Amino acid sequence: MILKESSFSTFLYFISHFTIKKTLSTSHKSPTPLKVSSLVTQSCFLIPILLSSILHAFSFWGIRGLRMIMWTILLVLAILHRASSHGIQPLSRIAIHKATLALDNLAYVKASPTVLGLNGQNTEWVTVEYSSPNPSMDDWIGVFSPANFSASTCPAENPRVYPPLLCSAPIKFQYANYTSPDYKVNGKGSLKLQLINQRSDFSFALFSNGFLNPKLVAVSNTVSFANPNAPVYPCLAQGKQWDEMTVTWTSGYGIDEAEPFVQWGPKGGHQQHSPAVTLTFDRSSVCGAPARTIGWRDPGFIHTSFLKELWLNRVYTYKLGHRLFNSTYVWSQEYQFRASPFPGQNSLQRVVIFGDMGKDEADGSNEYNNFQRGSLNATKQLIKDLKNIDIVFRIGDICYANGYISQWDQFTAQIEPIASAVPYMLASGNHERDWPGTGSFYENNDSGGECGVLAETMFFVPAENRAKYWYSTDYGMFRFCIADSEHDWREGTEQYKFIEHCLASVDRQKQPWLVFLAHRVLGYSSDLSYAVEGSFGEPMAKENLQKLWQKYKVDIAIYGHAHNYERTCPIYENQCTDNEKRYYKGTLKGTIHVVAGGAGASLSPFTTLKTKWSLFRDYDYGFIKLTAFDHSNLLFEYKKSSDGKVYDSFRISRDYRDILACTVDSCPLTTLAS
């Protein structure tokens, strides 16, 4: 029997397309973070199909067919590897709803010190000592907050969640033998764990029988901060006017207990008070499990104060304050920031941009599949170079809480040294927003039921409506147009009209550097998951948006989502408009697209296919820095998180007339009559 070439192609397409769809529907594009168990199930399901495919390929097409089917299998395995490398939210490994009591009088857990933050600290290390008469390798320590974590019922949200003994996930966990290699032998161990002030007390529990059917063996004494309600973790953001800065923080004080405000003023000068608005949300505000069930934790109160009529480039100091109704005051430590330059100001301006950093634990807890191991390195590099950074853009997949609300506090604590000193601007990603039936463009479960509520409430952005997370912001010679890739951006939509208005309304004589930001790759990417789809970016995106980028002469478009680094040539309609790679002089003629999604989350592989437009790829952790020296000169740098050194760069040098110059599809059509 002889089959035609087209039949063979169709056969290969079926095998690869079936596998890719089955895998990617639970990893890159989609939905729920892929669980190891589902990977194993899928792999086992595919094995007989692949073996059968090999036999059929050999019998129908001989050696050539066998080679091609083996290539397809390698591609499939690479995709499976990518899906598994992205891991899952570590806390979701623990089936806390299946926990049972197995308290043992001979077992114990002790934590010290019992009171933290006596000198105003919001981060402290705790020593946890424990012992079990029946130790095993899968024993683990869970950190719970509030300290009393038992409950008789838990609201059911879907068939996988049912009333358990325990309905609160730990805020972090670690194996009992992590730093005690002899634990299995003598049943004794200890851990040093880092705690942050999270508006409640803490307890530590020893569990046996692993994560899937845990048994509670012993519970520690209670540990708490001296003032668990204290104002903590300020985050700056640009306001809706260039001379306005917003400060957002959390506390345990509601408006019926205290009046929140910021005391601020020029460094060494007169200090004034600005009141703060207060927001919060409850379990009914979020959209599904685990955010509404085992991942729920009271978020406290989120306060935002608006500091207005700032003098450009002046250094200001500020303190977070709460005036209690007994006329006493609670204060944070003192912070400082430099006011933003006015739109068009000709001065040195330095911008850091990255996506998908997530959060990590300094004590090594909550690690799984190196899920976010690069996060701390990126944070440390930014803190180290903070004096040379003016503003930060974090373009989506912010902390990968995925419905475990306690992780947002830990994230804000991690970035506090940065976000309290320079504006920290966000874009929305799939792990913040996406949830079925809630209006997200992608109908998947990536947010773990958060459906945007956490990001929209805990961080200020100068959007007209924070439920629609798109906005523009000016910083000196830069105009940034930040899209929300999780809402429809296609031509004719509300967001498309916003994008065009943002790009069209900038005065390029005053603000020559026009930058487009989004989480998903709405432009170009060689990430394997995009390559196997054949789109090399989000499907439909380039077709809908590239005419806007070209018409309004966007210089650089930067994305996250793909966990790697890549830079293209200046490009329009899949064609490089300039063959230069390092130094662009005069009219750019196209937009340079950059993927900067390797700031912390586990890395994504590239396709082995070579494209003419891809100039530089790096399978490593890093971030982007833009430096505008003046209206004519811009430096782009890609730095690795491991050492902060520059591994890729280019310069743009041009005059205003070069921006005005017409290129393909960038000027109105003319006729002989005109």
Side-chain angles (χ1 to χ4, degrees), residues 405-513:
I405 293 173
S406 65
Q407 304 305 288
W408 283 92
D409 287 312
Q410 295 177 24
F411 163 71
T412 54
Q414 179 176 319
I415 66 167
E416 181 197 36
I418 306 164
S420 63
V422 299
Y424 201 91
M425 312 300 294
L426 301 186
S428 179
N430 50 302
H431 286 284
E432 287 77 60
R433 180 60 183 86
D434 291 2
W435 192 255
T438 63
S440 55
F441 191 35
Y442 300 84
E443 289 279 316
N444 60 56
N445 304 320
D446 285 2
S447 74
E450 293 176 13
C451 57
V453 172
L454 275 294
E456 294 161 12
T457 307
M458 294 186 67
F459 296 89
F460 178 86
V461 295
E464 291 303 314
N465 179 351
R466 275 192 265 179
K468 300 171 182 177
Y469 224 71
W470 56 77
Y471 62 96
S472 66
T473 191
D474 296 318
Y475 193 88
M477 296 175 285
F478 288 97
R479 160 66 64 87
F480 295 97
C481 297
I482 297 91
D484 180 353
S485 64
E486 309 315 299
H487 283 90
D488 197 345
W489 29 255
R490 291 174 297 181
E491 188 170 2
T493 62
E494 181 183 1
Q495 182 170 195
Y496 183 91
K497 294 173 183 176
F498 154 77
I499 294 171
E500 180 161 27
H501 179 265
C502 181
L503 299 177
S505 60
V506 61
D507 182 347
R508 299 298 289 276
Q509 191 271 327
K510 296 181 175 64
Q511 293 177 280
W513 309 116

Side-chain angles (χ1 to χ4, degrees), residues 131-139 176 182-188 206 208:
S131 177
S132 172
N134 300 297
S136 68
M137 297 296 287
D138 58 2
D139 290 359
D182 294 330
Y183 173 78
K184 177 67 171 63
V185 178
N186 58 28
K188 296 184 183 297
L206 174 63
S208 64

Side-chain angles (χ1 to χ4, degrees), residues 184-196:
K184 177 67 171 63
V185 178
N186 58 28
K188 296 184 183 297
S190 66
L191 288 169
K192 285 190 175 296
L193 297 173
Q194 188 180 66
L195 298 184
I196 64 165

Side-chain angles (χ1 to χ4, degrees), residues 101-146:
L101 284 178
L103 296 174
D104 191 323
N105 291 332
L106 298 179
Y108 66 81
V109 184
K110 300 176 182 178
S112 62
T114 57
V115 181
L116 311 176
L118 291 174
N119 295 315
Q121 311 98 308
N122 293 318
T123 302
E124 287 260 35
W125 288 84
V126 172
T127 299
V128 182
E129 298 175 314
Y130 42 89
S131 177
S132 172
N134 300 297
S136 68
M137 297 296 287
D138 58 2
D139 290 359
W140 55 278
I141 297 290
V143 184
F144 291 84
S145 180

Side-chain angles (χ1 to χ4, degrees), residues 53-327:
S53 302
I54 293 172
L55 293 175
H56 281 76
F58 184 72
S59 62
F60 289 148
W61 299 291
I63 296 298
R64 179 175 175 275
L66 186 60
R67 286 174 179 167
M68 293 191 72
I69 197 68
M70 289 302 293
W71 182 90
T72 304
I73 291 171
L74 289 174
L75 177 62
V76 167
L77 292 175
I79 297 165
L80 285 172
H81 168 74
R82 183 194 188 285
S84 64
S85 72
H86 275 240
I88 59 173
Q89 161 52 248
L91 294 173
S92 69
R93 299 177 67 199
I94 300 173
I96 200 67
H97 56 286
K98 294 184 179 180
T100 56
L101 284 178
L103 296 174
D104 191 323
N105 291 332
L106 298 179
Y108 66 81
V109 184
K110 300 176 182 178
S112 62
T114 57
V115 181
L116 311 176
L118 291 174
N119 295 315
Q121 311 98 308
N122 293 318
T123 302
E124 287 260 35
W125 288 84
V126 172
T127 299
V128 182
E129 298 175 314
Y130 42 89
S131 177
S132 172
N134 300 297
S136 68
M137 297 296 287
D138 58 2
D139 290 359
W140 55 278
I141 297 290
V143 184
F144 291 84
S145 180
N148 182 5
F149 55 91
S150 65
S152 58
T153 60
C154 199
E157 284 295 316
N158 58 46
R160 295 175 298 147
V161 180
Y162 50 88
L165 171 68
L166 306 179
C167 70
S168 297
I171 63 172
K172 63 169 61 181
F173 67 91
Q174 186 53 274
Y175 282 106
N177 63 356
Y178 181 66
T179 54
S180 304
D182 294 330
Y183 173 78
K184 177 67 171 63
V185 178
N186 58 28
K188 296 184 183 297
S190 66
L191 288 169
K192 285 190 175 296
L193 297 173
Q194 188 180 66
L195 298 184
I196 64 165
N197 196 345
Q198 288 185 264
R199 303 172 306 280
S200 192
D201 51 6
F202 304 84
S203 63
F204 305 81
L206 174 63
F207 289 87
S208 64
N209 211 39
F211 297 140
L212 297 182
N213 291 284
K215 296 181 179 180
L216 180 60
V217 177
V219 181
S220 76
N221 53 290
T222 297
V223 171
S224 64
F225 278 83
N227 181 7
N229 294 322
V232 290
Y233 319 131
C235 182
L236 300 174
Q238 299 218 118
K240 293 186 177 181
Q241 304 297 323
W242 70 267
D243 61 350
E244 179 181 57
M245 191 73 74
T246 68
V247 186
T248 300
W249 73 97
T250 58
S251 82
Y253 295 114
I255 57 175
D256 58 343
E257 300 173 90
E259 297 171 341
F261 64 93
V262 172
Q263 177 177 288
W264 64 285
K267 188 173 183 179
H270 172 71
Q271 302 288 295
Q272 60 181 299
H273 288 184
S274 289
V277 298
T278 298
L279 299 174
T280 190
F281 55 91
D282 58 26
R283 199 187 294 260
S284 66
S285 303
V286 291
C287 296
R292 290 178 73 136
T293 56
I294 59 173
W296 171 257
R297 187 178 189 276
D298 191 315
F301 300 94
I302 299 96
H303 316 281
T304 300
S305 185
F306 300 83
L307 316 184
K308 300 183 178 183
E309 298 183 353
L310 303 176
W311 289 83
L312 60 94
N313 291 341
R314 181 172 292 186
V315 175
Y316 288 85
T317 60
Y318 70 97
K319 293 170 66 175
L320 315 175
H322 289 265
R323 181 181 178 274
L324 305 182
F325 291 139
N326 62 5
S327 297

